[in-house]
Amino acid sequence: MNSTEKHNWRGYLFILPLMLILGVFVIYSFILLVQGSFFKTDLLFNRSKFVGLQYYKIALQDPYFFKAIINTLVFAASSVFFGISLGFIFSVFLAFSIKGGNFFRTLFFVPTLLPNALIAAIFGGMLRYRFGALNDFLAVLRITPVHWLSDPAMAYISVLTISLFMIGIPMMYYQAELATLDKGMFESAQIDGAGFWRITTQIIFPTVIHSHKTIVMTLMLTTFRAFERVYLLTAGGPARSTEITGTYIYTFFAEGGGRNIGYVNAISTLTLILAFVMSGIILSAFNPKVVKAKRSNK
Amino acid sequence: MSLKKLWIVLLITVVAPFALFAAGGQEAAEEGGDVVISYHCWYPPEEILAPMIAEFEKLNPGIKVEVTKTEPDTHQQKVPVVLASKQKLDTMAVMNTDFVMQVEPYMADLEPLYSNAYGSDWEGKFQPSILTYSRGRTSGDLKMLPEGMNGSPVIYFNVEIFNELGLSIPETETDLMKTIATIKSKRPDLVPLAFRGKLPWLHTISAFGLYAQEEELWSFVRDDGKPYNSPEIVKMAQWWQSLYEKDIFAMDTLDIDNNSIGELFYGGNAAMMVHGAWMAGLLSEPYREKKNIGFEIGAFPYPAIKAGNTPTTAATPDMFFSVVNYSDHQEEAFKLMDFFIQGEGINLLAENFLIVPGKTDFVPNPELLTTDLARNSYKSIIDVLSNPQSALRQQDFLTTPFGKVLQNIALGGDVKESLDDFQKEIESGKFE
């Protein structure tokens, strides 16, 4: 055995505890989840009856599950959009030594440190139609109050907009990568006549591709787990208008008191598969070979 | 790091959690010679439950109670798992839902326990309807019993605002509509009638529960299996929609939940509040003082939909208890259950008006209801609870999904189309 092989072998030993935990709590749970989706059973796994793919068929034909998936993807897309647009722009500005830079950094980052449930509770109070802070403010300006949470369309926009306050995480990634960039590159660009906008969009933006990848992946998957935010803000309503996969699964499980675990397992499995597929798409889109090929085609 | 050290680190990583888990498991057994019984519940609030448990332990030296109180959803999900895995559990609060079906195999027969405690005429201690109802919920044997009756919705009102605007208790739905119109015109700063419209299940409870004065329809769909798009349900849903069209309820109530309704009403920003009978403590002056509510509160049931109807609500026996059949301490567990149902526990709970007790010898504490309005309001609540016309239970299956349909109808959605879609959803098999 040469030294490299020995080194690799010890490496496996180091990751063994994590792999054990992962094996027990993730892989085993996943197997149990998939297995359970083929059975009609309750929370106690009593009276199990094999039903094959029946629950998958029901789920795929269920317009409300479909709507929950679409909503999840739309909310994820908005989250990504805010993250890589505003998050990037603010990071670039903060990369300059502006007065109060640390204050703004903290201001943008603090919401990401708060529990989602707290954010939802704060916004829930602010957006209430009667005696909500935002409508009270609009009243001062003599603007008609808005049904932020009780009108389905406005509730949708409210849930979308709340992700704006989560740009602290993308900003953190961008700032970390911006700090590593070679300043000489910008000086050369300036000498060649490039202005601020051109440097930002054509040099910095393509250069921080690793941050883009991490941010898109993180924000996309975070939306799949944005349960508390949506549940506490709108409970998926009114009238299912803001239902995401997390609230759909939870409410189905809770309202049935664990009555039909097979269906819950099937919709959870489909959601997981969707999350895997989305991750795969993002990873392949940011694959260095693909990116390089795209650039050379241009 | 040497290989030996690495193995030690790995061993500690793997073994330590098991060792800690095992050490924790030892605690639950016995405590200084006392029998420790394990009790799982979701209700009542901690500030009421803790003194009740302390009183029980005082009255029963030698028995200690280990309480696990969780949120209702958690209770519903956790207890069946605890029972199936035969973990320590001696007595439990039972949700009157499909939960009964799940936990019935683990419930002890209560008749021998009651016979031992009170003799052969023990049944006289309960209202007959409660015994009949409880036996009907399990397969014939008596395996669970409730503390009493509860129900929702009833309407609480701010007496100061009613006096200021010269309003009286509405007798019919039309009166209620006029009352709301008066409040809106004279005090536009107020929410006339606060309703927790954000909670889908409450739409179902309220629609079926109140419409029962016209026709009882919940057993029609739940027990008789009639479709949700039947003409009868369509008529009920149209009535529900009309409440929003007539501004009895309003679109802005669709963002009100459990917390915000309290802020609105207790803060004096809502003239009326739709809530459950378990809030009847608001009628009591000492209770209001404790909660820092500075105005008098009265209550009335939702009025007659049309003149001649009898007001009603969705009311059923509530807060069931059972003894676990594999418990090693069934006698002690029964003592705790009986304390909650027939003993001092139910008296303590009744002082908080959380339930109308089901024991036959219950007398309300006259010191708590000090005015005629308070006494009459409480009587009106007891009257509707004693004569429930709806078969609906608060935690019945499908109350939430159907409530989402009613939310859509409240927002002006097409009634027939919404009900057709829900029926299709039912027929898809996903709820079976």
Side-chain angles (χ1 to χ4, degrees), chain A residues 9-10 13-14 16-17 20 40 42-44 46-47 54-55 58 62 64 127-131 147 149-152 231-235 237-240 243 247-248 250-260 263, chain B residues 1 3 6-7 10 13-14 73 76-78 80-81 84 98 101-102 106 188-192 198 251-252 254-257 260 263-264 269 396-398 400-401 404-405 407-408 411 421-422 425 428-432:
Chain A
W9 180 76
R10 286 192 180 179
L13 271 183
F14 274 109
L16 184 62
L20 281 174
K40 178 182 165 65
D42 61 16
L43 190 60
L44 303 183
N46 277 338
R47 299 179 280 271
Q54 188 191 330
Y55 288 135
I58 292 171
D62 182 3
Y64 302 109
L127 298 176
R128 210 178 298 146
Y129 182 76
R130 296 299 300 265
F131 306 103
H147 287 98
L149 299 174
S150 46
D151 174 68
Y231 189 76
L232 293 173
L233 194 65
T234 63
R240 290 167 157 163
E243 195 100 271
T247 57
Y248 178 89
Y250 174 77
T251 49
F252 191 89
F253 173 71
E255 74 205 11
R259 180 180 166 130
N260 189 350
Y263 184 70
Chain B
M1 192 189 282
L3 198 56
L6 182 66
W7 275 115
L10 280 176
T13 311
V14 174
D73 287 349
Q76 185 151 313
Q77 290 149 23
K78 189 179 171 187
V81 178
D98 280 358
M101 194 177 72
Q102 291 180 31
Y106 306 98
D189 57 313
L190 295 174
V191 174
K198 189 177 171 183
M251 186 178 169
D252 44 288
L254 288 171
D255 66 10
I256 297 179
D257 60 15
S260 50
E263 287 168 29
L264 285 171
N269 292 319
D396 258 335
F397 187 50
L398 292 181
T400 297
K404 291 174 183 173
V405 177
Q407 274 184 335
N408 187 44
L411 285 161
D421 287 348
F422 187 65
E425 204 180 345
S428 75
K430 73 179 190 182
F431 295 114
E432 285 167 11

Side-chain angles (χ1 to χ4, degrees), chain A residues 42-44 250-259 261, chain B residues 40-42 70-83 93-100 102-103 394-400:
Chain A
D42 61 16
L43 190 60
L44 303 183
Y250 174 77
T251 49
F252 191 89
F253 173 71
E255 74 205 11
R259 180 180 166 130
I261 289 297
Chain B
H40 282 227
C41 64
W42 78 95
T70 55
E71 288 298 307
D73 287 349
T74 313
H75 182 83
Q76 185 151 313
Q77 290 149 23
K78 189 179 171 187
V79 170
V81 178
V82 169
L83 290 168
V94 178
M95 287 182 150
N96 191 13
T97 61
D98 280 358
F99 181 88
V100 175
Q102 291 180 31
V103 301
Q394 190 167 323
Q395 285 129 338
D396 258 335
F397 187 50
L398 292 181
T399 54
T400 297

Side-chain angles (χ1 to χ4, degrees), chain A residues 2-200:
Chain A
N2 63 34
S3 66
T4 313
E5 282 172 335
K6 218 174 178 179
H7 176 77
N8 289 343
W9 180 76
R10 286 192 180 179
Y12 286 119
L13 271 183
F14 274 109
I15 62 166
L16 184 62
L18 184 63
M19 292 307 291
L20 281 174
I21 293 167
L22 201 72
V24 172
F25 293 107
V26 179
I27 298 171
Y28 176 70
S29 307
F30 185 69
I31 292 167
L32 208 64
L33 185 76
V34 176
Q35 187 200 26
S37 66
F38 300 127
F39 289 88
K40 178 182 165 65
T41 184
D42 61 16
L43 190 60
L44 303 183
F45 299 99
N46 277 338
R47 299 179 280 271
S48 284
K49 186 184 156 200
F50 183 75
V51 292
L53 293 169
Q54 188 191 330
Y55 288 135
Y56 288 95
K57 197 177 154 196
I58 292 171
L60 292 171
Q61 288 173 348
D62 182 3
Y64 302 109
F65 181 56
F66 184 70
K67 188 179 176 187
I69 289 175
I70 297 293
N71 285 351
T72 308
L73 295 177
V74 171
F75 293 152
S78 75
S79 205
V80 169
F81 172 76
F82 288 134
I84 61 173
S85 57
L86 295 178
F88 173 73
I89 291 165
F90 290 154
S91 302
V92 171
F93 280 120
L94 290 173
F96 296 107
S97 301
I98 60 168
K99 204 177 176 184
N102 284 337
F103 168 75
F104 288 112
R105 251 177 230 115
T106 312
L107 188 72
F108 289 124
F109 193 66
V110 161
T112 60
L113 295 175
L114 297 175
N116 271 334
L118 183 63
I119 291 178
I122 292 168
F123 275 86
M126 276 172 58
L127 298 176
R128 210 178 298 146
Y129 182 76
R130 296 299 300 265
F131 306 103
L134 192 53
N135 276 348
D136 284 353
F137 176 68
L138 293 180
V140 171
L141 303 175
R142 297 187 181 280
I143 296 172
T144 316
V146 179
H147 287 98
W148 297 109
L149 299 174
S150 46
D151 174 68
M154 289 314 299
Y156 204 86
I157 292 170
S158 301
V159 174
L160 271 179
T161 315
I162 205 172
S163 55
L164 183 66
F165 293 85
M166 308 305 285
I167 58 169
I169 290 178
M171 284 179 68
M172 188 180 67
Y173 286 120
Y174 282 131
Q175 284 177 51
E177 196 167 356
L178 285 173
T180 65
L181 296 184
D182 179 8
K183 289 199 171 48
M185 188 166 61
F186 307 127
E187 284 160 11
S188 306
Q190 272 181 320
I191 291 164
D192 289 343
F196 170 76
W197 183 245
R198 203 160 171 207
I199 292 174
T200 304

Side-chain angles (χ1 to χ4, degrees), chain B residues 383-430:
Chain B
D383 285 347
V384 283
L385 291 187
S386 309
N387 301 295
Q389 293 172 51
S390 169
L392 189 138
R393 294 185 295 266
Q394 190 167 323
Q395 285 129 338
D396 258 335
F397 187 50
L398 292 181
T399 54
T400 297
F402 190 69
K404 291 174 183 173
V405 177
L406 286 174
Q407 274 184 335
N408 187 44
I409 288 169
L411 285 161
D414 184 276
V415 173
K416 186 72 174 66
E417 200 179 295
S418 304
L419 295 175
D420 284 346
D421 287 348
F422 187 65
Q423 185 55 30
K424 265 188 224 155
E425 204 180 345
I426 297 277
E427 286 166 7
S428 75
K430 73 179 190 182

Side-chain angles (χ1 to χ4, degrees), chain A residues 209-265:
Chain A
I209 188 166
H210 296 296
S211 293
H212 295 327
K213 182 170 84 174
T214 313
I215 289 163
V216 172
M217 181 81 93
T218 309
L219 294 179
M220 178 69 79
L221 296 181
T222 303
T223 309
F224 275 85
R225 294 185 286 113
F227 169 77
E228 309 105 296
R229 217 187 320 157
V230 177
Y231 189 76
L232 293 173
L233 194 65
T234 63
R240 290 167 157 163
S241 54
T242 57
E243 195 100 271
I244 59 167
T245 49
T247 57
Y248 178 89
I249 293 168
Y250 174 77
T251 49
F252 191 89
F253 173 71
E255 74 205 11
R259 180 180 166 130
N260 189 350
I261 289 297
Y263 184 70
V264 173
N265 283 9

Side-chain angles (χ1 to χ4, degrees), chain B residues 151-399:
Chain B
S152 178
V154 290
I155 300 176
Y156 297 89
F157 66 97
N158 182 322
V159 177
E160 275 181 18
I161 295 173
F162 264 50
N163 289 343
E164 176 196 326
L165 303 180
L167 299 168
S168 56
I169 292 175
E171 299 280 328
T172 63
E173 197 172 276
T174 312
D175 293 343
L176 180 62
M177 204 167 77
K178 286 177 188 163
T179 304
I180 288 167
T182 307
I183 298 166
K184 281 180 83 170
S185 67
K186 291 187 178 173
R187 288 287 305 272
D189 57 313
L190 295 174
V191 174
L193 180 64
F195 173 70
R196 292 168 293 159
K198 189 177 171 183
L199 314 174
W201 59 268
L202 194 61
H203 287 256
T204 310
I205 299 285
S206 304
F208 277 97
L210 300 176
Y211 195 76
Q213 55 175 275
E214 290 277 271
E215 194 173 7
E216 203 299 293
L217 290 175
W218 189 246
S219 58
F220 175 81
V221 286
R222 184 191 63 194
D223 305 329
D224 303 345
K226 295 281 169 50
Y228 280 84
N229 53 355
S230 307
E232 292 85 348
I233 305 288
V234 171
K235 207 172 150 196
M236 183 201 72
Q238 282 167 341
W239 165 76
W240 187 248
Q241 192 171 52
S242 77
L243 298 185
Y244 285 82
E245 287 165 353
K246 290 182 214 163
D247 253 3
I248 289 179
F249 295 135
M251 186 178 169
D252 44 288
T253 62
L254 288 171
D255 66 10
I256 297 179
D257 60 15
N258 281 323
N259 293 327
S260 50
I261 199 166
E263 287 168 29
L264 285 171
F265 188 68
Y266 307 146
N269 292 319
M272 293 179 278
M273 159 178 90
V274 180
H275 220 301
W278 54 89
M279 300 297 285
L282 293 170
L283 304 173
S284 156
E285 198 179 344
Y287 180 89
R288 289 197 301 268
E289 273 173 18
K290 227 186 318 179
K291 297 276 174 191
N292 291 322
I293 300 171
F295 52 85
E296 192 179 1
I297 294 170
F300 58 90
Y302 187 87
I305 293 174
K306 58 180 185 244
N309 281 12
T310 308
T312 187
T313 191
T316 47
D318 195 18
M319 278 308 296
F320 283 84
F321 290 89
S322 183
V323 170
V324 175
N325 59 9
Y326 65 74
S327 160
D328 293 331
H329 302 296
Q330 282 194 22
E331 197 185 319
E332 291 82 0
F334 171 75
K335 278 186 179 169
L336 179 65
M337 176 186 156
D338 191 49
F339 169 83
F340 283 130
I341 293 174
Q342 288 284 335
E344 192 51 31
I346 186 64
N347 295 336
L348 288 170
L349 196 67
E351 295 212 341
N352 291 284
F353 296 91
L354 290 174
I355 201 159
V356 176
K359 66 176 186 175
T360 44
D361 54 358
F362 172 71
V363 182
N365 184 346
E367 288 173 17
L368 298 174
L369 300 171
T370 49
T371 63
D372 281 347
L373 176 71
R375 283 187 285 274
N376 291 338
S377 294
Y378 190 57
K379 187 179 175 305
S380 71
I381 291 177
I382 290 183
D383 285 347
V384 283
L385 291 187
S386 309
N387 301 295
Q389 293 172 51
S390 169
L392 189 138
R393 294 185 295 266
Q394 190 167 323
Q395 285 129 338
D396 258 335
F397 187 50
L398 292 181
T399 54

